[in-house]
Amino acid sequence: MKQGYFIAGTDTEIGKTFSACALLHAARRQGLSALAMKPVAAGTEADGENDDVRRLMAAASVAAPRDLVNPYLFAPPIAPHIAAAEAGRPIKAAVIRHAFQELKPLAEVLIVEGVGGWRVPLGDDFDAADLARELGLPVILVVGMRLGCISHALLTAESIAAQGLPLAGWVANRIDPAMSRFEENLACLERALPAPLLGVIPHGVDAAAAGALLRLP
């Protein structure tokens, strides 16, 4: 692994997986082998698989064992610490760290996608921010562009800094195509966030097309 990044989001359902897939495509366009990891996923399809994990594996240029890409998978689409408690399978940092170390030699770029927002609990005393710190990765923040995103983005950036982690860059994902004053909001975020904008993802494109609009930090 030459480059590794932790993908965080300003909230849940703002396009972290889509943005992670787009960044994988961006890496591949630069001639770099690329692989993604989603340590914790909640919600399975009829076939027992998680759609986010499936999309990340499809976008990667390197094949890897599914149990390393996704060490923890829970069936109900609920908060992961609740799903883990109900399943009687606590989420352990050591298990995720082992899988991460196994994946590192397989690709030049390794992208680790978090779950939910930046401070989503993974256990009684362990959350997504702790996981990023445990893996020692710089953070790429996905900002879901909609009303309220400025406050969410700035608060998340402050928390990332408080954890002692570098914010390597951020992605503006247009989840609301009808967002009023989009350009003004984007300009405000560019001024206020202490990291470069890595690209804007338009609404309605696929991950490969979005990858052509992004750059790695």
Side-chain angles (χ1 to χ4, degrees), residues 68-95:
L68 295 180
V69 172
N70 175 224
Y72 288 99
L73 175 61
F74 303 102
I78 58 177
H81 69 293
I82 298 174
E86 290 182 354
R89 188 184 176 210
I91 298 168
K92 298 180 180 180
V95 172

Side-chain angles (χ1 to χ4, degrees), residues 9-137:
T10 49
D11 201 350
T12 192
E13 299 298 328
I14 50 82
K16 287 192 312 300
T17 300
F18 184 82
S19 298
C21 290
L23 287 164
L24 289 171
H25 283 286
R28 294 174 63 173
R29 289 176 65 88
Q30 295 180 29
L32 299 169
S33 57
L35 179 62
M37 178 185 188
K38 189 172 178 71
V40 181
T44 56
E45 307 294 321
D47 59 5
E49 293 190 5
N50 176 268
D51 186 58
D52 289 350
V53 174
R54 181 165 28 215
R55 288 158 60 197
L56 289 169
M57 294 183 73
S61 64
V62 177
R66 185 177 296 272
D67 61 342
L68 295 180
V69 172
N70 175 224
Y72 288 99
L73 175 61
F74 303 102
I78 58 177
H81 69 293
I82 298 174
E86 290 182 354
R89 188 184 176 210
I91 298 168
K92 298 180 180 180
V95 172
I96 296 173
R97 187 170 60 248
H98 171 76
F100 176 72
Q101 294 297 331
E102 291 290 308
L103 291 174
K104 282 174 66 175
L106 302 183
E108 294 167 292
V109 175
L110 179 54
I111 290 174
V112 180
E113 185 197 338
V115 56
W118 173 242
R119 294 300 306 272
V120 166
L122 301 178
D124 290 339
D125 55 359
F126 182 49
D127 65 17
D130 293 321
L131 177 58
R133 192 173 62 247
E134 178 79 25
L135 300 179
L137 293 174

Side-chain angles (χ1 to χ4, degrees), residues 3-10 14 16 19-20 23 111-112 118 137-144 153-154 156-158 160-161 165-173 186 189-190 192-201 214-217:
Q3 299 168 263
Y5 303 101
F6 187 91
I7 308 300
T10 49
I14 50 82
K16 287 192 312 300
S19 298
L23 287 164
I111 290 174
V112 180
W118 173 242
L137 293 174
V139 179
I140 294 175
L141 178 62
V142 179
V143 179
L154 297 182
T156 305
E158 287 179 5
I160 290 168
L165 290 168
L167 180 61
W170 63 284
V171 173
N173 184 28
L186 182 69
L189 285 166
E190 285 194 88
L193 284 173
L197 174 62
L198 304 178
V200 177
I201 300 178
L214 300 183
R215 61 183 178 88
L216 295 177

